[in-house]
């Protein structure tokens, strides 16, 4: 049977969306309301969507910022809302985000749901007249990230991406210094996510979701699958149906800084991945060990995920290292960045932190997206870096680690990173002759069209989007 074209798929989705218009809370799916600008003297009322983990951080930040009130909370699992409601007892509680979006007293929302909800929740929110702070990654795939960018522009709403380093004076000053020639020419950045991740375990069959959770609503636009892991919450990161692995989790922050420092404001022209889920057998299917090469022509970014035990690199395990003519710049934290000469002596230090949430509120109050430190287009570009790397991974062929040499062609930096990656796996007791990894193809990407070209393009382009299920259909913008 022939596979439907993307246009046919979108037309089918639009017809289904029209049919869903009579469903409860359909106003969030239909024409947006015209909302007033928030006068400087008025409090900005914000609703937080997803309050189990990162969302509680949003609550803590926003409720302590002047001129802001956390007025509503939303989570599909009533079993996890206790700490959030205790923190802001006066806030309304909604189980369904569509009901929150229908609340005309809410000016803005912050979104800290699982990744697969980020884009749809953002689009529905701006259609309902809300401004949005959305956690990284802005999207679960490349296509929906572009739709978020289009929706923010079409509906004239402030949409901030949760790459908090963009508001930190230390990182901002360091990137300005670097791009101003502080280290001379800089052509290479290495991003690191050396973050120990234990096995999530392996179950024998489908598990029951928590009784307190609406699992259908939790799944939303993703494929409705049986729960095949011990924990519903957080471990969704390690399943492609809902998450993107650590390259699309922690890695978005570091890839964003790498792209920022190199001054690349586009997608890579080529991408390749090597790695796998290694060191244990569990119910996850995203890589916990991965090297991704992103080729921007005269500049390149190499990103590495290590979920097994490892030593830091250049003094950091979660960070970015820029290699310049006169030394290196190491971003080991958002609030302190240091530059070193080739002998290892410190030549510059940048310090200072600031509230990313405050920057969002300032832009909302001014009605000016130009005030955002992390506008949504940049969030889309940085989120897509991980998506593209994972597409190469998913199209890869399995091979014994010992049989793979210089998998990244002419990139000396990426091949050197892979050599270190091989040594890291051996140090964790993995036999190179027995260890099986996926060697992904080097895919060519048309940045302007956001489509793959050349060899394997057809298969790769199918992975730029997903099938959405009614009524959680992605609107065409």
């Amino acid at each position: 049977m022939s596979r439907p074209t993307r246009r046919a798929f979108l037309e089918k989705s639009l017809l289904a969306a029209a049919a869903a218009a009579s469903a409860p809370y359909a106003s969030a799916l239909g024409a947006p309301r015209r909302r007033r600008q928030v006068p400087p003297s008025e409090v900005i009322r914000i609703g937080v969507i997803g309050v189990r983990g990162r969302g509680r951080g949003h609550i803590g930040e926003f409720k302590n910022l002047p001129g802001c009130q956390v007025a509503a909370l939303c989570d599909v699992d009533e079993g996890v809302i206790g700490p959030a409601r205790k923190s802001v007892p006066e806030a309304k509680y909604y189980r369904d985000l569509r009901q929150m979006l229908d609340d005309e007293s809410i000016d803005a929302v912050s979104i800290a749901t699982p990744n697969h909800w980020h884009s749809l929740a953002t689009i529905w929110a701006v259609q309902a007249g809300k401004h949005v702070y959305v956690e990284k990654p802005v999207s679960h795939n490349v296509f929906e990230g572009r739709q978020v960018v289009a929706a923010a522009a079409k509906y004239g709403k402030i949409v901030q991406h949760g790459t908090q380093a963009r508001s930190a004076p230390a990182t901002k000053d360091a990137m300005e210094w670097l791009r101003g020639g502080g280290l001379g020419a800089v052509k290479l950045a290495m991003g690191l996510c050396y973050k120990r991740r234990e096995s999530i375990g392996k179950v024998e069959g489908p598990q029951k979701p928590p009784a307190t959770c609406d699992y259908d609503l939790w799944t939303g636009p993703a494929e409705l699958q049986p729960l095949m892991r011990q924990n519903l919450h957080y471990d969704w990161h390690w399943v492609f149906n809902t998450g993107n692995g650590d390259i699309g989790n922690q890695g978005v922050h570091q890839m964003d800084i790498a792209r920022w420092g190199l001054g690349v404001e586009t997608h890579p022209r080529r991408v390749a991945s090597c790695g796998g889920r290694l060191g244990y057998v569990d119910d996850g299917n995203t890589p916990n060990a991965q090297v991704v090469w992103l080729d921007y022509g005269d500049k390149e970014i190499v990103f590495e995920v290590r979920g097994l035990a490892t030593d830091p690199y250049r003094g950091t395990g979660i960070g970015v290292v820029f290699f310049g003519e006169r030394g290196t710049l190491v971003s080991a934290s958002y609030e302190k960045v240091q530059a070193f000469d080739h002998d290892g002596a410190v030549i510059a230090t940048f310090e200072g932190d600031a509230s990313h949430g405050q920057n969002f509120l300032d832009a909302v109050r001014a009605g000016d997206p130009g005030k955002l430190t992390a506008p949504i287009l940049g969030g889309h570009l940085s989120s897509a870096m991980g998506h593209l790397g994972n597409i190469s991974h998913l199209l890869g062929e399995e091979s014994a680690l010992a049989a793979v040499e210089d998998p990244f062609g002419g990139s000396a930096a990426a091949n050197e990173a892979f050599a270190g990656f091989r040594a890291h796996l051996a140090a964790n007791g993995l036999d190179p002759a027995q260890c099986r990894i996926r060697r992904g193809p080097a895919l060519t990407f048309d940045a302007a069209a956001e489509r793959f070209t050349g060899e394997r393009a057809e298969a790769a382009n199918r992975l730029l989007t997903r099938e959405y299920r009614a009524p959680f259909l992605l609107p065409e913008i």
Side-chain angles (χ1 to χ4, degrees):
M1 180 180 293
S2 63
R3 190 176 184 89
T5 66
R6 179 170 169 270
R7 177 171 294 277
F9 168 66
L10 288 174
E11 289 173 351
K12 180 180 177 182
S13 296
L14 288 172
L15 289 173
S22 61
Y25 321 123
S27 56
L29 301 170
R33 304 181 183 89
R34 294 185 178 273
R35 293 184 59 84
R36 61 182 178 80
Q37 293 297 114
V38 180
S41 61
E42 288 193 17
V43 169
I44 296 172
R45 292 170 53 82
I46 194 165
V48 180
I49 304 173
V51 300
R52 179 183 176 273
R54 182 73 188 110
R56 290 208 293 271
H58 288 197
I59 294 168
E61 181 173 12
F62 284 119
K63 79 172 189 177
N64 290 315
L65 293 175
C68 182
Q69 178 188 358
V70 178
L73 305 172
C74 180
D75 202 291
V76 299
D77 188 349
E78 294 179 352
V80 305
I81 63 171
R85 298 191 76 174
K86 184 176 181 181
S87 177
V88 281
E90 70 282 1
K92 296 180 184 178
Y93 166 64
Y94 296 97
R95 194 176 198 185
D96 190 319
L97 82 165
R98 291 168 292 189
Q99 291 177 305
M100 176 187 281
L101 298 179
D102 277 345
D103 186 340
E104 295 189 21
S105 72
I106 303 299
D107 300 300
V109 297
S110 75
I111 298 168
T113 63
N115 295 1
H116 67 288
W117 257 111
H118 285 185
S119 288
L120 182 58
T122 299
I123 292 171
W124 280 0
V126 298
Q127 287 183 325
K130 319 296 186 188
H131 303 288
V132 178
Y133 179 118
V134 58
E135 268 301 337
K136 52 75 194 164
V138 65
S139 57
H140 185 255
N141 61 60
V142 174
F143 174 69
E144 66 182 30
R146 176 55 65 179
Q147 294 300 95
V148 170
V149 174
K154 178 176 180 177
Y155 297 106
K157 293 302 167 187
I158 307 299
V159 183
Q160 171 87 302
H161 189 233
T163 39
Q164 292 83 14
R166 290 275 179 167
S167 290
T171 308
K172 289 196 292 183
D173 292 347
M175 296 304 106
E176 182 178 353
W177 178 83
L178 185 70
R179 292 174 63 164
L183 289 178
V186 182
K187 303 293 186 181
L188 169 67
M190 294 195 64
L192 311 170
C193 178
Y194 292 1
K195 199 167 190 176
R196 184 74 174 100
R197 300 292 190 184
E198 301 291 344
S199 167
I200 65 172
K202 192 162 184 63
V203 300
E204 296 299 322
Q207 306 295 293
K208 288 186 178 180
T212 52
C213 179
D214 183 334
Y215 185 61
D216 181 79
L217 185 56
W218 183 93
T219 304
E223 181 181 344
L224 185 59
Q225 300 175 346
L227 178 59
M228 294 296 296
R229 60 182 183 275
Q230 293 174 0
N231 299 312
L232 171 67
H233 298 302
Y234 199 80
D235 289 347
W236 54 262
H237 278 295
W238 323 129
V239 179
F240 275 121
N241 188 44
T242 52
N244 303 97
D246 244 340
I247 195 171
N249 177 37
Q250 178 65 51
V252 180
H253 291 291
Q254 280 62 55
M255 288 187 294
D256 182 70
I257 294 170
R259 189 177 58 78
W260 184 10
L262 290 182
V264 288
E265 300 297 333
T266 185
H267 295 295
R269 67 179 191 177
R270 287 187 297 168
V271 61
S273 170
C274 273
R277 193 159 188 88
L278 308 172
Y280 41 69
V281 176
D282 66 4
D283 288 313
N285 60 17
T286 62
N288 69 337
Q290 186 177 24
V291 179
V292 170
W293 172 56
L294 300 139
D295 172 23
Y296 292 88
D298 64 335
K299 298 176 181 177
E300 58 184 332
I301 295 171
V302 179
F303 192 82
E304 186 177 357
V305 172
R306 293 186 184 182
L308 302 177
T310 191
D311 293 327
Y313 175 79
R314 303 268 179 156
T316 182
I318 300 175
V320 186
V321 181
F322 296 92
F323 296 85
E325 289 180 306
R326 296 196 286 270
T328 58
L329 181 76
V330 180
S331 171
S333 71
Y334 307 153
E335 62 275 5
K336 185 174 182 180
V337 182
Q338 290 189 300
F340 304 85
D341 66 18
H342 290 302
D343 295 323
V346 176
I347 57 176
T349 299
F350 307 90
E351 295 183 286
D353 201 2
S355 169
H356 202 46
Q358 184 64 62
N359 174 253
F360 171 65
L361 297 178
D362 291 344
V364 168
R365 196 171 295 284
D368 182 5
K371 290 186 176 293
L372 291 173
T373 58
I376 199 58
L377 175 58
H380 168 54
L381 293 175
S382 295
S383 299
M385 296 166 75
H387 301 330
L388 297 176
N390 279 335
I391 289 172
S392 174
H393 168 79
L394 289 168
L395 295 180
E397 296 182 356
E398 282 201 0
S399 175
L401 177 61
V404 179
E405 294 289 344
D406 295 340
F408 297 102
S411 173
N415 287 327
E416 182 180 343
F418 182 78
F421 170 86
R422 186 203 304 273
H424 154 67
L425 294 177
N428 276 275
L430 277 69
D431 181 352
Q434 301 297 321
C435 178
R436 308 287 292 179
I437 67 168
R438 279 183 182 262
R439 179 178 180 176
L443 300 170
T444 303
F445 195 64
D446 181 333
E450 295 192 333
R451 303 285 289 172
F452 290 100
T453 62
E455 190 175 353
R456 305 297 301 277
E458 182 178 357
N461 284 326
R462 285 198 294 267
L463 297 174
L464 290 171
T465 187
R466 74 181 309 158
E467 293 191 10
Y468 297 85
R469 66 189 189 97
F472 310 104
L473 302 173
L474 194 76
E476 185 176 17
I477 306 302

